[in-house]
Amino acid sequence: MLICEGWATGASLHEELGVFVMVAMDAGNLAPVAQAARRLFPDAEIIIAGDNDESGTGQAAAQNAALAVGGKVLIPQQSGVDWNDILTMEGAA
């Protein structure tokens, strides 16, 4: 399962990958949502699809959420973008 910050990102990830996505609505809610997901789905692989914020907020929140639940982190390589940006760029998959 994937957990991300925003609704548009969650919709793009689900459309592109066809997997279950939970939306935290903001970086500060990633860890609580991940913890709820772990309680509901104790055997699931949890991947936090974090934002690559120039401030570092999204990356830090994603890392903390993943650590809290034994999950993994997936961050776009390009600074200042999220997965919705990557998936909706012209010419994207």
Side-chain angles (χ1 to χ4, degrees):
M1 108 179 25
L2 295 174
I3 300 173
C4 65
E5 287 186 38
W7 186 91
T9 300
S12 293
L13 287 167
H14 175 71
E15 184 177 286
E16 182 70 24
L17 303 173
V19 299
F20 183 70
V21 179
M22 296 180 83
V23 177
M25 301 310 289
D26 63 46
N29 208 29
L30 285 171
V33 170
Q35 291 164 341
R38 177 57 71 216
R39 286 190 302 273
L40 292 169
F41 307 100
D43 298 325
E45 179 179 27
I46 297 176
I47 300 171
I48 311 298
D51 294 357
N52 189 340
D53 297 325
E54 291 179 7
S55 66
T57 300
Q59 302 91 309
Q63 185 66 35
N64 289 338
L67 285 172
V69 297
K72 297 178 182 175
V73 177
L74 190 62
I75 304 286
Q77 290 183 350
Q78 185 178 345
S79 180
V81 301
D82 61 27
W83 288 107
N84 183 60
D85 298 326
I86 297 295
L87 293 171
T88 59
M89 286 180 180
E90 187 175 347

